[in-house]
Amino acid sequence: MEVALKLDPVSPIALYRQIYDGLRDGIIGRRFESGTKLPASRALAASLGVSRITVTECYERLISEGYLETRRGSGTFVSTRLPEWDMYATNSNVALVPQVESDVPKRLSRYGQLLDTPLRPPVPPEIIRLDSHGPDVAAFPIKLWTRLLVRRMQEGALSLLQYTQEWSGSTDLKIAVAQYLRVSRAVVCDPSQIIITSGSQQALYFAARIFLDPSDYAAMEAPGYRFAGRIFASQGATVLPIPVDRNGMQISQLKKHSDKAIKLVYVTPSHQYPRGVSLSISRRMELLAWATETGALILEDDYDSEYRYNERPLPSIQGMVPDAPVLYVGTFSKLLFPTLRLGYLVVPPGFQNMFTGAKLLCDFQSSSIDQRILTDFLTEGHLEPYVRKMRIIYGNRRAVLVESLQKHFGRKVTVYGDNAGMHFLADFEIELSEQDAFDRAVAAGVRVERLYWPASSELHRPGHVQFVFTFAAVNESDLALAAERLAGAFLT
């Protein structure tokens, strides 16, 4: 049997590839039915006017991919079972409407029961997102990152595609992160104390998973970070809300829980989430003394401390005293781009094995490719100029949003927090409930973020509604438009 294939000798596509594509497309399109015998490589080469080696290479590749099979003494045939049959389910219909819940019993653990709640529905793309905590990816130096990627892949592509035994993270990256933290955050650590995680969220989860049992207590700021509270509660721990004022967490209120053996206390001291204040130096020292006395661990989340606008950088709690009982958490996902799922956890000496084991059980390792590129990005000095540039952009956007809110609301709005970070808290003096205000904002095309109050600790102020505003990923014209829309929604 002769096989007719359309070949273009002047095409930039190699003849080998044209023959391969023609045969593969013919098999998938059922031009060549399963079981069809193909010409011998010598005969097909002669009929196509190409070398036998070219045809042999095509046959060998199609055989290795499962499209062809050889039968001893008989020749080469189209496979009776194509690889697509094993890759995709047959006779399955895609569900386009919500399905009724199945009768399969849910024999859930306590953990599963706590997670069995509806997730937030997707937000329409036309809405201005003032609840999105990511950076502005449009300003990221993607060409530089691509160049670093290409260089790494050319130098050692095979090793980057394989499993690694550096489960706690690349040694080179940990050295670079340790140097970066020493200079920028006054963190005192050896690279061996660093665990590379898939974002800061995984670091918080590891800490909760390793230290909290259902009978334990974890303290956190109120209001605070929603997912931290959910993570602690998912381990069955009791969450103790500690109020926040203009100087951060009130350590005096934390001390009132002396009857409870608190294992973890979660703080965001450099830029409290969501109030935006910083924990004062005196309270940091008071917190360290309390933790040392009670045996508790401080979980310090330093998620956006790089961005302070005309304000002095603050040192970490971790580096304030020797052998501080602190688990220090940071992330590059918020600093660079969200899909870079790389964060870090600095643990006290002696804690490395348990956290490395948790990492190994969870996802084995973070992306080797991303770790190597990030290492180059840090060691070649690209991070500092990038942060300087983004500090100007984010500072301007914060100023635009604050000024726009004040323009439209006047004395009816108060913005809280330091001139820092990628969000702030705004208080509106309006006669609406939080739910009504939120719904009106969404109807006006703006989505803001509601506060999270752990363990029903919410404080009500009649005639006042508070929301979190993020601004880093929104351009200045949309920020001004959002403020105008909110005024129309809240004041009419």
Side-chain angles (χ1 to χ4, degrees):
M1 179 188 73
E2 289 193 353
V3 174
L5 295 176
K6 183 179 179 180
L7 302 181
D8 183 358
V10 299
S11 170
I13 302 175
L15 288 175
Y16 152 79
R17 183 72 196 196
Q18 293 183 54
I19 297 171
Y20 166 83
D21 288 341
L23 291 174
R24 180 178 179 275
D25 292 345
I27 293 170
I28 294 175
R30 298 190 181 277
R31 176 187 170 195
F32 308 122
E33 295 288 345
S34 298
T36 300
K37 183 178 180 180
L38 294 184
S41 58
R42 190 186 304 276
L44 182 58
S47 67
L48 296 177
V50 299
S51 71
R52 184 186 178 192
I53 294 177
T54 300
V55 174
T56 301
E57 288 179 353
C58 293
Y59 275 11
E60 289 177 350
R61 178 170 176 180
L62 291 166
I63 290 170
S64 69
E65 293 177 354
Y67 294 102
L68 299 180
E69 59 189 21
T70 57
R71 300 174 190 173
R72 181 174 297 179
S74 299
T76 303
F77 296 80
V78 176
S79 294
T80 54
R81 184 175 183 85
L82 299 182
E84 276 74 11
W85 296 359
D86 297 322
M87 292 173 63
Y88 306 107
T90 57
N91 299 323
S92 61
N93 295 319
V94 178
L96 299 179
V97 295
Q99 300 295 298
V100 296
E101 192 163 330
S102 73
D103 294 328
V104 177
K106 292 181 179 178
R107 303 180 64 181
L108 300 177
S109 66
R110 178 185 174 91
Y111 177 74
Q113 293 170 9
L114 289 167
L115 296 183
D116 189 23
T117 57
L119 298 177
R120 188 173 72 180
V123 180
E126 65 273 10
I127 285 185
I128 299 176
R129 297 291 303 273
L130 300 184
D131 66 336
S132 179
H133 290 268
D136 183 0
V137 296
F140 184 74
I142 189 66
K143 290 183 178 179
L144 168 62
W145 191 266
T146 302
R147 188 165 70 247
L148 298 177
L149 166 62
V150 171
R151 187 179 69 190
R152 278 288 185 173
M153 293 301 291
Q154 289 175 339
E155 290 174 353
L158 292 181
S159 64
L160 294 178
L161 300 181
Q162 295 173 341
Y163 285 119
T164 177
Q165 295 189 53
E166 293 184 307
W167 300 303
S168 64
S170 158
T171 299
D172 291 341
L173 177 57
K174 293 196 290 184
I175 292 172
V177 170
Q179 176 63 24
Y180 166 68
L181 293 178
R182 272 196 295 269
V183 173
S184 66
R185 304 296 301 120
V187 170
V188 179
C189 71
D190 183 84
S192 65
Q193 294 173 243
I194 295 176
I195 310 295
I196 300 299
T197 61
S198 297
S200 60
Q201 198 86 342
Q202 188 179 68
L204 299 183
Y205 179 78
F206 286 164
R209 188 70 171 156
I210 288 171
F211 293 109
L212 296 178
D213 286 318
S215 60
D216 291 329
Y217 292 92
M220 66 175 293
E221 301 152 328
Y225 179 43
R226 182 183 310 275
F227 283 101
R230 289 196 65 186
I231 287 171
F232 301 148
S234 74
Q235 300 307 309
T238 299
V239 178
L240 302 174
I242 310 299
V244 173
D245 61 21
R246 67 182 60 185
N247 292 311
M249 175 184 277
Q250 299 179 28
I251 310 304
S252 60
Q253 297 299 312
L254 177 65
K255 292 179 177 179
K256 290 183 178 180
H257 295 284
S258 58
D259 59 323
K260 304 175 181 69
I262 299 174
K263 274 193 172 181
L264 283 179
V265 55
Y266 173 77
V267 289
T268 51
S270 294
H271 188 230
Q272 197 274 333
Y273 186 84
R275 289 198 181 277
V277 298
S278 55
L279 188 64
S280 66
I281 296 297
S282 61
R283 288 192 182 179
R284 292 172 185 235
M285 296 304 298
E286 190 179 4
L287 177 60
L288 280 166
W290 170 86
T292 301
E293 179 182 346
T294 62
L297 281 172
I298 300 169
L299 188 51
E300 180 180 6
D301 190 350
D302 201 3
Y303 61 94
D304 70 354
S305 61
E306 288 83 1
Y307 296 120
R308 299 188 69 81
Y309 317 116
N310 304 318
E311 296 203 5
R312 180 171 54 88
L314 296 170
S316 66
I317 295 178
Q318 190 271 356
M320 293 184 71
V321 297
D323 300 321
V326 175
L327 303 170
Y328 180 85
V329 177
T331 180
F332 290 103
S333 301
K334 187 178 291 292
L335 185 60
L336 300 179
F337 54 94
T339 56
L340 179 66
R341 302 310 305 156
L342 291 179
Y344 49 87
L345 180 64
V346 180
V347 302
F351 284 55
Q352 293 97 321
N353 286 345
M354 63 187 79
F355 280 96
T356 301
K359 177 67 178 176
L360 182 60
L361 290 178
C362 182
D363 63 4
F364 203 85
Q365 67 181 75
S366 294
S367 166
S368 294
I369 297 174
D370 289 339
Q371 289 188 69
R372 297 307 190 277
I373 302 171
L374 179 57
T375 301
D376 295 340
F377 195 81
L378 292 173
T379 57
E380 294 178 11
H382 302 302
L383 180 62
E384 185 176 349
Y386 171 73
V387 170
R388 283 201 303 267
K389 179 184 76 170
M390 301 313 296
R391 191 179 288 130
I392 295 172
I393 293 174
Y394 294 161
N396 289 338
R397 289 179 180 176
R398 185 185 191 278
V400 166
L401 183 53
V402 171
E403 291 170 5
S404 298
L405 289 173
Q406 292 173 340
K407 171 185 174 182
H408 291 287
F409 286 92
R411 295 183 178 181
K412 290 185 178 294
V413 65
T414 302
V415 174
Y416 291 101
D418 299 344
N419 187 16
M422 302 163 75
H423 80 273
F424 59 75
L425 178 68
D427 180 288
F428 296 92
E429 189 176 346
I430 53 177
E431 295 300 326
L432 294 172
S433 69
E434 181 189 83
Q435 185 63 56
D436 287 342
F438 181 82
D439 291 341
R440 286 193 180 196
V442 172
V446 180
R447 189 176 178 99
V448 292
E449 183 171 342
R450 303 167 72 168
L451 271 64
Y452 170 73
W453 296 87
S456 303
S457 58
E458 184 172 1
L459 298 176
H460 294 280
R461 294 182 63 201
H464 290 263
V465 175
Q466 295 182 337
F467 292 111
V468 180
F469 286 75
T470 64
F471 50 82
V474 184
N475 63 57
E476 295 179 10
S477 60
D478 280 348
L479 291 172
L481 177 60
E484 181 181 349
R485 289 181 177 179
L486 289 176
F490 291 175
L491 301 179
T492 58

